[in-house]
Amino acid sequence: MRSSKFLQAAALLMVAKSAVALDITADFASLGTVYQTASGQLTNVFAAGYTDVTANFEADANYAASILNKAIGVNFSPVVTFTLADLTSESAVGDSSVTSLDANNRTATSDIRVDSGSSLFFVDATPANNANFNMTSKTATLGGGQVNVSRIGNAVTGGPADGKYDLVTLFTHELEHSIAYTTAIPNFETLAGADGTANRNILISSAMTGLSSNWLLPIISTSSHIDGNVQSGLFNDTVVADPGFGDSQRALLTAAEIEGACAVNGCNAAQ
């Protein structure tokens, strides 16, 4: 992991994928046709006035996976299955679960479910284009250097993403849970401690980042999320933070959470 990869937000989209790197495969075999209502709900059941958004749904998932693939240099190949499910009882927009590990205790397979209950979504036909959001970026002094901790924007008022959850953001969030931020991955629990542990954090080592000193990425004590409340909300714009993003927002992958995911998966200084 080269430290220059982490110091500027723009670099996240320009890092060339190494010959040996993360390679997420999105599996849509069980997805079915995805229809969207006029208000923005997703469903597998067709009715008059619904729009088939399957191709754009899959494109958003593949785009989110491609950014993570470019960012993390460790060689493993998780297969992530995408489906719709009514998550109203969970009060969730989406969820993920690791279903198997590989020989190195990294994710081999995972399931991601997207709410087909009451949630409203922005399904982006051009996921690499952020024109429907007013994007901002910021860095923080961590480990003796400047590390990107925020790439977020509010939806353009009255635009197609206004009042809806951004699917690119949701996929990035759930994919991060699938490959790193979950106690289903043994090294996450080794680094952060089990759920319920007070003052959880992941040590981001200078040996991995190339920065001058170590720094700590805070993890919520009761769930596998970056803690968005501590340090005056410093990390709340990371995609996998809690409370984190809301509707009418796009949050993109930050250097801080890449470093956390790399620590969990055993990146070295060249990855």
Side-chain angles (χ1 to χ4, degrees):
M1 178 191 307
R2 299 173 181 85
S3 60
S4 60
K5 185 191 297 185
F6 303 107
L7 300 183
Q8 298 295 332
L12 297 177
L13 297 183
M14 296 188 293
V15 175
K17 185 174 178 182
S18 61
V20 178
L22 174 64
D23 187 14
I24 299 169
T25 297
D27 179 2
F28 304 114
S30 301
L31 177 62
T33 302
V34 180
Y35 300 102
Q36 188 167 38
T37 69
S39 63
Q41 291 170 277
L42 299 179
T43 178
N44 289 130
V45 181
F46 177 76
Y50 290 7
T51 302
D52 183 345
V53 295
T54 309
N56 291 341
F57 182 104
E58 294 181 2
D60 288 359
N62 280 322
Y63 177 73
S66 74
I67 299 304
L68 280 162
N69 287 344
K70 292 174 183 176
I72 297 175
V74 176
N75 182 24
F76 66 113
S77 302
V79 176
V80 181
T81 299
F82 290 82
T83 57
L84 299 185
D86 188 342
L87 304 178
T88 304
S89 64
E90 301 179 17
S91 300
V93 179
D95 65 14
S96 66
S97 58
V98 173
T99 51
S100 68
L101 301 172
D102 65 16
N104 296 306
N105 279 331
R106 300 185 181 110
T107 301
T109 58
S110 178
D111 294 335
I112 288 177
R113 303 187 300 172
V114 175
D115 183 39
S116 61
S118 59
S119 302
L120 307 181
F121 290 99
F122 172 54
V123 184
D124 199 343
T126 56
N129 187 330
N130 299 319
N132 290 300
F133 301 88
N134 297 306
M135 301 301 296
T136 63
S137 177
K138 69 180 180 182
T139 63
T141 303
L142 299 166
Q146 291 299 303
V147 177
N148 172 248
V149 295
S150 173
R151 298 171 68 218
I152 197 166
N154 294 325
V156 174
T157 302
D162 193 11
K164 300 180 177 69
Y165 283 99
D166 175 44
L167 206 56
V168 170
T169 302
L170 177 65
F171 284 147
T172 304
H173 179 100
E174 300 301 346
L175 283 167
E176 287 193 80
H177 283 310
S178 291
I179 66 162
Y181 293 92
T182 171
T183 53
I185 298 173
N187 201 40
F188 176 86
E189 188 163 302
T190 298
L191 293 173
D195 286 348
T197 303
N199 301 316
R200 296 169 92 194
N201 58 70
I202 293 174
L203 176 69
I204 309 299
S205 73
S206 60
M208 182 183 71
T209 64
L211 298 173
S212 61
S213 60
N214 302 336
W215 64 275
L216 298 176
L217 181 67
I219 303 296
I220 286 182
S221 64
T222 56
S223 72
S224 301
H225 293 87
I226 294 174
D227 194 333
N229 290 312
V230 299
Q231 299 180 52
S232 301
L234 178 64
F235 297 100
N236 195 47
D237 291 345
T238 58
V239 187
V240 76
D242 184 5
F245 70 91
D247 62 15
S248 306
Q249 287 188 311
R250 170 164 287 182
L252 299 176
L253 195 65
T254 67
E257 60 206 298
I258 293 172
E259 294 191 13
C262 274
V264 169
N265 286 292
C267 287
N268 60 40
Q271 297 172 320

